[in-house]
Coordinates of all heavy atoms in Angstrom, one line a residue:
M1244 N 0.8 -1.3 0.0 CA 0.0 0.0 0.0 C 0.9 1.3 0.0 O 1.8 1.3 0.7 CB -0.9 0.0 1.3 CG -2.0 1.0 1.1 SD -3.1 1.0 2.7 CE -4.1 -0.4 2.4
K1245 N 0.5 2.2 -0.8 CA 1.2 3.5 -0.9 C 0.7 4.5 0.1 O -0.5 4.7 0.2 CB 1.1 4.0 -2.4 CG 2.4 4.8 -2.8 CD 2.1 5.1 -4.3 CE 3.5 5.1 -5.0 NZ 3.4 5.4 -6.5
C1246 N 1.7 5.1 0.8 CA 1.3 6.1 1.9 C 0.7 7.4 1.1 O 1.3 8.0 0.2 CB 2.4 6.5 2.7 SG 2.1 7.9 3.8
P1247 N -0.5 7.8 1.6 CA -1.2 8.9 0.8 C -0.5 10.3 1.3 O -0.7 11.3 0.6 CB -2.6 8.9 1.3 CG -2.5 8.1 2.7 CD -1.4 7.2 2.6
R1248 N 0.3 10.3 2.3 CA 1.0 11.5 2.8 C 2.3 11.7 2.1 O 2.6 12.8 1.5 CB 1.1 11.5 4.3 CG 1.5 12.9 4.9 CD 1.9 12.7 6.3 NE 0.9 13.0 7.2 CZ 0.9 12.9 8.6 NH1 2.0 12.3 9.1 NH2 -0.1 13.1 9.3
C1249 N 3.2 10.7 2.1 CA 4.5 10.9 1.5 C 4.8 10.0 0.4 O 5.9 10.1 -0.2 CB 5.6 10.6 2.6 SG 5.6 8.9 3.2
M1250 N 3.8 9.1 -0.1 CA 3.8 8.4 -1.3 C 4.9 7.3 -1.3 O 5.5 6.9 -2.3 CB 4.0 9.3 -2.5 CG 3.0 10.2 -2.8 SD 1.4 9.3 -3.2 CE 0.2 10.7 -2.9
T1251 N 5.2 6.8 0.0 CA 6.1 5.7 0.1 C 5.5 4.4 0.0 O 4.4 4.3 0.7 CB 6.9 5.8 1.5 OG1 7.5 7.1 1.6 CG2 8.0 4.8 1.6
E1252 N 6.1 3.4 -0.8 CA 5.4 2.1 -0.8 C 5.7 1.4 0.4 O 6.9 1.2 0.8 CB 6.0 1.5 -2.1 CG 5.3 0.0 -2.3 CD 3.8 0.1 -2.4 OE1 3.2 0.8 -3.2 OE2 3.3 -0.8 -1.7
N1253 N 4.6 0.8 1.1 CA 4.9 0.1 2.3 C 4.5 -1.3 2.3 O 4.4 -2.0 3.3 CB 4.1 0.8 3.5 CG 4.8 2.1 3.9 OD1 5.7 2.1 4.5 ND2 4.1 3.2 3.4
G1254 N 4.1 -1.9 1.2 CA 3.6 -3.3 1.1 C 2.3 -3.6 1.8 O 1.4 -3.0 1.6
N1255 N 2.5 -4.6 2.7 CA 1.2 -4.8 3.7 C 1.2 -4.1 4.9 O 0.2 -4.4 5.6 CB 1.3 -6.4 3.8 CG 1.0 -7.2 2.6 OD1 0.2 -6.7 1.6 ND2 1.6 -8.3 2.4
R1256 N 2.1 -3.2 5.1 CA 2.1 -2.4 6.3 C 0.8 -1.5 6.3 O 0.4 -1.0 5.4 CB 3.4 -1.6 6.5 CG 4.6 -2.4 6.7 CD 5.7 -1.5 6.8 NE 5.8 -0.6 7.8 CZ 6.4 -0.6 8.9 NH1 7.3 -1.7 9.0 NH2 6.3 0.3 9.9
T1257 N 0.2 -1.3 7.5 CA -0.9 -0.4 7.7 C -0.4 0.9 8.2 O -1.0 1.9 8.1 CB -1.9 -0.9 8.7 OG1 -1.3 -1.3 9.8 CG2 -2.6 -2.2 8.1
I1258 N 0.8 1.0 8.8 CA 1.4 2.2 9.2 C 2.7 2.5 8.4 O 3.5 1.7 8.2 CB 1.7 2.2 10.8 CG1 0.4 1.9 11.6 CG2 2.4 3.5 11.2 CD1 0.7 1.5 13.0
C1259 N 2.7 3.8 7.9 CA 3.8 4.2 7.0 C 5.2 4.0 7.7 O 5.4 4.5 8.9 CB 3.6 5.6 6.5 SG 5.0 6.1 5.4
S1260 N 6.2 3.4 7.1 CA 7.4 3.2 7.7 C 8.3 4.5 7.7 O 9.3 4.7 8.4 CB 8.3 2.1 6.9 OG 8.3 2.4 5.6
K1261 N 7.9 5.5 6.8 CA 8.7 6.6 6.7 C 8.0 7.8 7.5 O 8.9 8.4 8.4 CB 8.7 7.2 5.2 CG 9.7 8.1 5.0 CD 9.8 8.6 3.4 CE 10.7 9.8 3.2 NZ 10.5 10.2 1.8
C1262 N 6.8 8.0 7.5 CA 6.2 9.1 8.3 C 5.3 8.7 9.4 O 4.8 9.6 10.1 CB 5.5 10.1 7.3 SG 4.0 9.4 6.6
G1263 N 5.0 7.5 9.5 CA 4.1 6.9 10.6 C 2.6 7.2 10.4 O 2.0 7.1 11.2
Y1264 N 2.2 7.5 9.1 CA 0.8 7.7 8.9 C 0.0 6.4 8.9 O 0.4 5.4 8.4 CB 0.7 8.3 7.4 CG -0.6 9.0 7.2 CD1 -1.0 10.2 7.6 CD2 -1.5 8.2 6.4 CE1 -2.1 10.7 7.3 CE2 -2.8 8.8 6.1 CZ -3.1 10.1 6.5 OH -4.4 10.5 6.3
F1265 N -1.2 6.5 9.6 CA -2.0 5.4 9.7 C -2.9 5.2 8.5 O -3.9 5.9 8.3 CB -2.9 5.4 11.0 CG -3.5 4.1 11.4 CD1 -2.7 3.0 11.7 CD2 -4.8 4.1 11.5 CE1 -3.4 1.8 12.1 CE2 -5.5 2.9 11.9 CZ -4.7 1.8 12.2
M1266 N -2.5 4.2 7.6 CA -3.1 4.1 6.3 C -4.4 3.3 6.2 O -5.2 3.5 5.4 CB -2.2 3.5 5.3 CG -1.0 4.4 4.9 SD 0.1 3.6 3.8 CE 1.0 2.5 4.9
Y1267 N -4.6 2.4 7.3 CA -5.7 1.6 7.2 C -7.0 2.4 7.4 O -7.9 2.1 6.8 CB -5.6 0.6 8.4 CG -6.9 -0.3 8.7 CD1 -7.1 -1.4 7.7 CD2 -7.8 -0.1 9.6 CE1 -8.1 -2.2 7.9 CE2 -8.9 -0.9 9.7 CZ -9.0 -1.9 8.9 OH -10.2 -2.8 9.0
R1268 N -7.0 3.4 8.2 CA -8.2 4.3 8.4 C -8.6 4.9 7.0 O -9.7 5.1 6.6 CB -7.8 5.4 9.5 CG -9.0 6.3 9.8 CD -8.6 7.3 10.8 NE -8.8 6.8 12.2 CZ -8.2 7.5 13.2 NH1 -7.4 8.6 13.0 NH2 -8.4 7.0 14.4
V1269 N -7.6 5.4 6.2 CA -7.8 6.1 5.0 C -8.4 5.1 4.1 O -9.4 5.4 3.3 CB -6.4 6.7 4.5 CG1 -6.7 7.3 3.0 CG2 -5.9 7.8 5.3
A1270 N -7.9 3.8 3.9 CA -8.4 2.8 3.1 C -9.8 2.5 3.4 O -10.6 2.4 2.5 CB -7.5 1.6 3.1
N1271 N -10.1 2.4 4.7 CA -11.5 2.1 5.1 C -12.5 3.2 4.7 O -13.6 3.0 4.3 CB -11.6 2.0 6.7 CG -11.8 0.6 7.0 OD1 -11.9 -0.2 6.3 ND2 -12.0 0.4 8.4
Q1272 N -12.1 4.5 4.9 CA -13.0 5.6 4.5 C -13.2 5.6 3.0 O -14.4 5.9 2.7 CB -12.2 6.9 4.9 CG -12.5 7.4 6.3 CD -11.7 8.6 6.8 OE1 -11.0 9.1 5.9 NE2 -12.1 9.1 7.8
N1273 N -12.2 5.3 2.2 CA -12.5 5.2 0.8 C -13.5 4.2 0.3 O -14.3 4.4 -0.5 CB -11.1 5.0 0.0 CG -10.2 6.2 0.2 OD1 -10.7 7.4 0.5 ND2 -9.0 6.0 -0.1
V1274 N -13.4 3.0 1.0 CA -14.3 2.0 0.8 C -15.7 2.3 1.2 O -16.7 2.2 0.5 CB -13.8 0.6 1.3 CG1 -14.9 -0.5 1.2 CG2 -12.5 0.2 0.5
E1275 N -15.9 2.7 2.5 CA -17.2 2.8 3.1 C -17.8 4.2 2.8 O -19.0 4.4 3.0 CB -17.1 2.5 4.6 CG -16.8 1.2 4.9 CD -16.5 0.9 6.4 OE1 -17.0 1.8 7.3 OE2 -15.9 0.0 6.7
K1276 N -17.0 5.1 2.4 CA -17.4 6.6 2.2 C -18.2 7.2 3.4 O -19.3 7.7 3.3 CB -18.3 6.6 0.9 CG -17.5 6.6 -0.3 CD -18.4 6.7 -1.7 CE -17.5 6.9 -2.8 NZ -16.6 5.9 -3.2
R1277 N -17.7 6.9 4.6 CA -18.3 7.5 5.7 C -17.4 8.5 6.5 O -16.2 8.3 6.5 CB -18.6 6.3 6.8 CG -19.8 5.5 6.3 CD -20.4 4.7 7.4 NE -19.4 3.8 7.8 CZ -19.4 3.1 9.1 NH1 -20.3 3.5 9.9 NH2 -18.5 2.2 9.4
S1278 N -17.9 9.4 7.0 CA -17.1 10.5 7.8 C -16.8 9.9 9.2 O -17.4 8.9 9.7 CB -17.9 11.7 7.9 OG -19.0 11.5 8.8
N1279 N -15.9 10.6 9.8 CA -15.4 10.2 11.2 C -16.7 10.2 12.2 O -16.7 9.5 13.1 CB -14.3 11.0 11.7 CG -13.0 10.6 11.0 OD1 -12.9 9.3 10.7 ND2 -11.9 11.4 10.9
T1280 N -17.4 11.3 12.0 CA -18.6 11.5 12.9 C -19.5 10.4 12.8 O -20.0 9.9 13.8 CB -19.3 12.8 12.5 OG1 -18.3 13.8 12.1 CG2 -20.0 13.4 13.7
Q1281 N -19.8 9.9 11.5 CA -20.8 8.9 11.4 C -20.2 7.6 11.9 O -21.0 6.8 12.6 CB -21.1 8.6 9.8 CG -22.1 9.5 9.3 CD -22.2 9.5 7.8 OE1 -21.2 9.4 7.2 NE2 -23.4 9.4 7.3
R1282 N -18.9 7.4 11.7 CA -18.3 6.2 12.3 C -18.3 6.2 13.7 O -18.6 5.0 14.3 CB -16.8 6.1 11.8 CG -16.0 4.8 12.1 CD -14.6 5.1 11.9 NE -14.3 5.4 10.5 CZ -14.1 4.6 9.6 NH1 -14.2 3.3 9.7 NH2 -13.7 5.1 8.4
A1283 N -18.0 7.3 14.3 CA -18.0 7.5 15.8 C -19.5 7.1 16.4 O -19.6 6.5 17.4 CB -17.6 8.9 16.3
L1284 N -20.5 7.6 15.6 CA -21.9 7.4 16.1 C -22.2 5.9 16.0 O -22.8 5.4 16.9 CB -22.9 8.3 15.2 CG -23.0 9.7 15.6 CD1 -23.7 10.4 14.5 CD2 -23.7 9.8 16.9
D1285 N -21.8 5.3 14.9 CA -22.0 4.0 14.7 C -21.4 3.1 15.8 O -22.0 2.1 16.3 CB -21.6 3.4 13.3 CG -22.5 4.0 12.3 OD1 -23.6 4.5 12.6 OD2 -22.2 3.8 11.1
D1286 N -20.1 3.5 16.1 CA -19.3 2.7 17.1 C -20.1 2.8 18.5 O -20.2 1.9 19.2 CB -17.9 3.2 17.2 CG -17.1 2.9 16.1 OD1 -17.6 1.9 15.2 OD2 -15.9 3.4 15.9
A1287 N -20.6 4.1 18.7 CA -21.3 4.3 19.9 C -22.5 3.5 20.0 O -22.9 2.9 21.2 CB -21.6 5.8 20.2
K1288 N -23.2 3.4 18.9 CA -24.5 2.6 18.9 C -24.2 1.1 19.2 O -25.0 0.4 19.9 CB -25.1 2.8 17.4 CG -26.3 3.7 17.4 CD -26.9 3.6 16.1 CE -27.2 4.9 15.5 NZ -27.5 5.0 14.2
I1289 N -23.2 0.6 18.5 CA -22.8 -0.8 18.7 C -22.4 -1.2 20.1 O -22.8 -2.0 20.6 CB -21.6 -1.2 17.6 CG1 -22.3 -1.2 16.2 CG2 -21.0 -2.5 18.0 CD1 -21.1 -1.1 15.2
A1290 N -21.6 -0.1 20.7 CA -21.2 -0.2 22.1 C -22.3 -0.3 23.0 O -22.4 -1.0 23.9 CB -20.1 0.8 22.4
G1291 N -23.3 0.6 22.7 CA -24.4 0.7 23.5 C -25.3 -0.4 23.5 O -25.8 -0.9 24.5
K1292 N -25.4 -1.0 22.3 CA -26.2 -2.2 22.2 C -25.6 -3.4 23.0 O -26.4 -4.1 23.7 CB -26.2 -2.7 20.6 CG -27.6 -2.2 20.0 CD -27.6 -2.7 18.5 CE -28.5 -2.1 17.6 NZ -28.3 -2.3 16.3
S1293 N -24.3 -3.6 22.9 CA -23.7 -4.7 23.6 C -23.8 -4.4 25.0 O -23.8 -5.4 26.0 CB -22.3 -4.8 23.0 OG -21.5 -3.7 23.3
F1294 N -23.7 -3.2 25.5 CA -23.8 -2.9 26.9 C -25.1 -3.2 27.5 O -25.2 -3.9 28.5 CB -23.5 -1.4 27.2 CG -23.9 -0.9 28.5 CD1 -23.0 -1.1 29.7 CD2 -25.1 -0.3 28.7 CE1 -23.4 -0.7 30.9 CE2 -25.5 0.1 30.1 CZ -24.5 -0.1 31.1
W1295 N -26.2 -2.9 26.7 CA -27.5 -3.3 27.1 C -27.8 -4.8 27.1 O -28.5 -5.2 28.0 CB -28.6 -2.6 26.3 CG -28.7 -1.0 26.8 CD1 -28.3 0.0 25.9 CD2 -29.2 -0.6 28.0 NE1 -28.6 1.1 26.9 CE2 -29.1 0.8 28.0 CE3 -29.6 -1.2 29.1 CZ2 -29.4 1.7 29.0 CZ3 -30.1 -0.4 30.2 CH2 -30.0 1.0 30.2
R1296 N -27.2 -5.5 26.2 CA -27.3 -7.0 26.2 C -26.7 -7.5 27.5 O -27.3 -8.4 28.0 CB -26.6 -7.5 24.8 CG -27.1 -8.9 24.5 CD -26.4 -9.3 23.3 NE -26.5 -8.5 22.1 CZ -25.6 -8.4 21.2 NH1 -24.5 -9.0 21.2 NH2 -25.8 -7.6 20.2
I1297 N -25.4 -7.0 27.7 CA -24.8 -7.6 28.9 C -25.6 -7.1 30.2 O -25.7 -7.9 31.2 CB -23.3 -7.1 29.0 CG1 -22.4 -7.7 27.8 CG2 -22.6 -7.3 30.3 CD1 -21.2 -6.9 27.5
F1298 N -26.0 -5.9 30.2 CA -26.7 -5.3 31.4 C -28.0 -6.2 31.6 O -28.3 -6.5 32.8 CB -27.1 -3.9 31.2 CG -27.8 -3.2 32.3 CD1 -27.2 -2.8 33.4 CD2 -29.3 -3.1 32.2 CE1 -27.8 -2.2 34.5 CE2 -29.9 -2.6 33.3 CZ -29.2 -2.0 34.4
R1299 N -28.6 -6.6 30.6 CA -29.9 -7.4 30.7 C -29.7 -8.8 31.2 O -30.4 -9.2 32.1 CB -30.6 -7.5 29.2 CG -32.1 -7.8 29.4 CD -32.7 -7.5 28.0 NE -32.2 -8.4 27.0 CZ -32.3 -8.3 25.7 NH1 -33.1 -7.3 25.2 NH2 -31.9 -9.2 24.8
I1300 N -28.6 -9.4 30.8 CA -28.2 -10.7 31.2 C -27.9 -10.6 32.7 O -28.3 -11.3 33.5 CB -26.9 -11.2 30.4 CG1 -27.5 -11.6 29.0 CG2 -26.4 -12.5 31.1 CD1 -26.3 -11.8 28.0
V1301 N -27.1 -9.6 33.2 CA -26.7 -9.4 34.5 C -27.9 -9.2 35.4 O -28.1 -9.7 36.6 CB -25.7 -8.2 34.7 CG1 -25.4 -7.8 36.1 CG2 -24.4 -8.6 34.0
W1302 N -28.9 -8.3 34.9 CA -30.1 -8.0 35.6 C -30.9 -9.3 35.8 O -31.5 -9.5 36.9 CB -30.9 -7.0 34.8 CG -32.2 -6.5 35.4 CD1 -33.4 -6.8 34.9 CD2 -32.4 -5.9 36.5 NE1 -34.4 -6.3 35.8 CE2 -33.8 -5.8 36.8 CE3 -31.4 -5.4 37.6 CZ2 -34.3 -5.2 38.0 CZ3 -32.0 -4.8 38.7 CH2 -33.3 -4.6 38.8
I1303 N -31.1 -10.1 34.8 CA -31.8 -11.4 34.9 C -31.2 -12.3 35.9 O -31.9 -12.8 36.9 CB -31.9 -12.1 33.5 CG1 -32.8 -11.4 32.5 CG2 -32.4 -13.5 33.7 CD1 -32.7 -11.8 31.1
I1304 N -29.8 -12.4 36.1 CA -29.2 -13.1 37.0 C -29.4 -12.6 38.4 O -29.7 -13.5 39.4 CB -27.6 -13.1 36.7 CG1 -27.3 -14.0 35.4 CG2 -26.8 -13.8 37.9 CD1 -25.9 -13.8 34.9
I1305 N -29.3 -11.3 38.6 CA -29.5 -10.6 39.8 C -31.1 -10.9 40.3 O -31.3 -11.3 41.5 CB -29.3 -9.2 39.8 CG1 -27.8 -8.8 39.7 CG2 -29.9 -8.4 41.0 CD1 -27.6 -7.5 39.3
V1306 N -32.0 -10.9 39.4 CA -33.4 -11.1 39.8 C -33.6 -12.6 40.2 O -34.2 -12.8 41.2 CB -34.3 -10.8 38.5 CG1 -35.7 -11.4 38.7 CG2 -34.3 -9.3 38.4
I1307 N -32.8 -13.4 39.4 CA -33.0 -14.9 39.8 C -32.5 -15.2 41.2 O -33.1 -15.9 42.0 CB -32.2 -15.9 38.7 CG1 -33.1 -15.8 37.4 CG2 -32.1 -17.2 39.2 CD1 -32.4 -16.3 36.2
I1308 N -31.3 -14.6 41.6 CA -30.6 -14.7 42.8 C -31.6 -14.2 44.0 O -31.8 -14.8 44.9 CB -29.2 -14.1 42.8 CG1 -28.3 -14.9 42.0 CG2 -28.7 -14.0 44.3 CD1 -27.0 -14.1 41.6
V1309 N -32.1 -13.0 43.7 CA -32.9 -12.4 44.7 C -34.2 -13.2 44.9 O -34.6 -13.5 46.1 CB -33.1 -10.9 44.4 CG1 -34.4 -10.2 45.1 CG2 -32.0 -10.1 44.4
M1310 N -34.8 -13.7 43.8 CA -36.0 -14.3 43.9 C -35.9 -15.8 44.6 O -36.7 -16.0 45.4 CB -36.5 -14.8 42.4 CG -37.2 -13.5 41.6 SD -38.7 -13.0 42.3 CE -39.9 -14.3 41.5
S1311 N -34.7 -16.4 44.3 CA -34.4 -17.7 45.0 C -34.1 -17.5 46.4 O -34.5 -18.3 47.4 CB -33.3 -18.4 44.3 OG -32.2 -17.5 44.1
F1312 N -33.5 -16.4 46.8 CA -33.2 -16.1 48.1 C -34.6 -15.8 48.9 O -34.7 -16.4 50.0 CB -32.3 -14.7 48.2 CG -32.2 -14.2 49.6 CD1 -31.3 -14.8 50.5 CD2 -32.9 -13.1 50.1 CE1 -31.2 -14.2 51.8 CE2 -32.9 -12.6 51.4 CZ -31.9 -13.3 52.2
W1313 N -35.5 -15.0 48.3 CA -36.7 -14.8 49.0 C -37.6 -16.2 49.1 O -38.3 -16.2 50.0 CB -37.4 -13.7 48.3 CG -37.0 -12.3 48.6 CD1 -36.3 -11.5 47.8 CD2 -37.1 -11.6 49.9 NE1 -35.9 -10.3 48.5 CE2 -36.5 -10.4 49.8 CE3 -37.7 -12.0 51.0 CZ2 -36.4 -9.6 50.8 CZ3 -37.7 -11.1 52.1 CH2 -37.0 -10.0 52.0
L1314 N -37.4 -16.9 48.1 CA -38.2 -18.1 48.1 C -37.7 -19.0 49.3 O -38.4 -19.7 50.0 CB -38.0 -18.9 46.8 CG -39.1 -18.8 45.7 CD1 -38.7 -19.3 44.4 CD2 -40.4 -19.5 46.2
L1315 N -36.3 -19.1 49.4 CA -35.6 -19.8 50.4 C -36.1 -19.2 51.8 O -36.4 -20.0 52.7 CB -34.2 -19.7 50.3 CG -33.3 -20.7 51.0 CD1 -33.3 -22.1 50.4 CD2 -31.8 -20.3 50.9
A1316 N -36.1 -17.9 51.9 CA -36.5 -17.2 53.2 C -37.9 -17.6 53.5 O -38.2 -17.7 54.6 CB -36.2 -15.8 52.9
L1317 N -38.8 -17.6 52.5 CA -40.2 -17.9 52.6 C -40.4 -19.3 53.2 O -41.1 -19.6 54.1 CB -40.9 -17.6 51.4 CG -42.5 -17.8 51.5 CD1 -43.1 -16.6 52.2 CD2 -43.1 -17.9 50.1
M1318 N -39.5 -20.2 52.5 CA -39.6 -21.6 52.9 C -39.1 -21.8 54.4 O -39.8 -22.5 55.2 CB -38.6 -22.4 52.0 CG -39.2 -22.6 50.6 SD -40.4 -24.0 50.4 CE -39.2 -25.3 50.2
M1319 N -38.1 -21.1 54.7 CA -37.5 -21.1 56.1 C -38.6 -20.6 57.0 O -38.7 -21.2 58.2 CB -36.3 -20.3 56.2 CG -35.1 -20.8 55.5 SD -34.2 -22.0 56.3 CE -33.0 -21.1 57.3
W1320 N -39.3 -19.6 56.7 CA -40.3 -19.0 57.6 C -41.4 -19.9 57.8 O -41.9 -19.9 58.9 CB -40.7 -17.6 56.9 CG -41.6 -16.9 57.8 CD1 -41.5 -16.3 58.9 CD2 -43.1 -16.7 57.3 NE1 -42.7 -15.7 59.4 CE2 -43.7 -15.9 58.5 CE3 -43.8 -17.0 56.3 CZ2 -45.0 -15.5 58.4 CZ3 -45.2 -16.7 56.3 CH2 -45.8 -15.9 57.3
L1321 N -41.9 -20.4 56.7 CA -43.1 -21.3 56.7 C -42.9 -22.6 57.5 O -43.6 -23.1 58.1 CB -43.5 -21.7 55.2 CG -44.3 -20.6 54.5 CD1 -44.5 -21.1 53.0 CD2 -45.6 -20.2 55.1
T1322 N -41.6 -23.2 57.4 CA -41.3 -24.5 58.0 C -40.4 -24.4 59.2 O -40.2 -25.4 59.8 CB -40.7 -25.4 56.9 OG1 -39.4 -24.8 56.4 CG2 -41.5 -25.6 55.8
G1323 N -40.0 -23.2 59.5 CA -39.1 -23.1 60.5 C -37.7 -23.8 60.3 O -37.0 -24.1 61.2
G1324 N -37.3 -23.8 59.0 CA -36.0 -24.4 58.6 C -36.0 -25.9 58.4 O -35.0 -26.5 58.2
Q1325 N -37.2 -26.5 58.6 CA -37.1 -28.0 58.6 C -36.9 -28.5 57.1 O -36.0 -29.5 57.1 CB -38.6 -28.4 59.0 CG -38.9 -28.1 60.4 CD -38.2 -28.9 61.4 OE1 -38.1 -30.1 61.4 NE2 -37.5 -28.2 62.4
V1326 N -37.5 -27.9 56.2 CA -37.4 -28.5 54.8 C -35.9 -28.1 54.3 O -35.3 -29.0 53.6 CB -38.4 -27.8 53.9 CG1 -38.1 -28.2 52.4 CG2 -39.8 -28.3 54.2
V1327 N -35.4 -26.8 54.5 CA -34.2 -26.6 53.9 C -33.0 -27.3 54.6 O -32.1 -27.7 53.9 CB -33.9 -25.0 54.1 CG1 -32.6 -24.5 53.6 CG2 -35.1 -24.2 53.4
L1328 N -33.1 -27.6 56.0 CA -32.1 -28.2 56.6 C -32.3 -29.7 56.5 O -31.3 -30.5 56.8 CB -32.1 -27.9 58.1 CG -31.8 -26.4 58.4 CD1 -32.1 -26.1 59.9 CD2 -30.3 -26.1 58.3
G1329 N -33.4 -30.2 55.9 CA -33.5 -31.6 55.7 C -33.7 -32.5 56.8 O -33.3 -33.6 56.9
Q1330 N -34.4 -31.9 57.9 CA -34.5 -32.6 59.2 C -36.0 -33.3 59.3 O -36.9 -32.4 58.8 CB -34.3 -31.8 60.3 CG -32.7 -31.7 60.5 CD -32.4 -30.5 61.6 OE1 -33.1 -29.9 62.0 NE2 -31.1 -30.7 62.0
Ligands
LIG2718 ZN1 4.3 8.1 4.8

């Protein structure tokens, strides 16, 4: 790949060996024709989506733990600990 800044041929390198220019970003922009602002918005959207997915799973786990705790507490209260302790 040729560096767009200093026109040095860099082969398969993504960062220019002469001036240190990051060429991968430029190549991506040419293909996708998207601005940095759009890209940042898309990245934020993807990050937000995965955050909510993880948050939802964590929330379900917390609910299950709390529910089972209260069920156990209810069982203990109803039986005086007999069922849970197996006596
Ligand atoms: Zn360069």
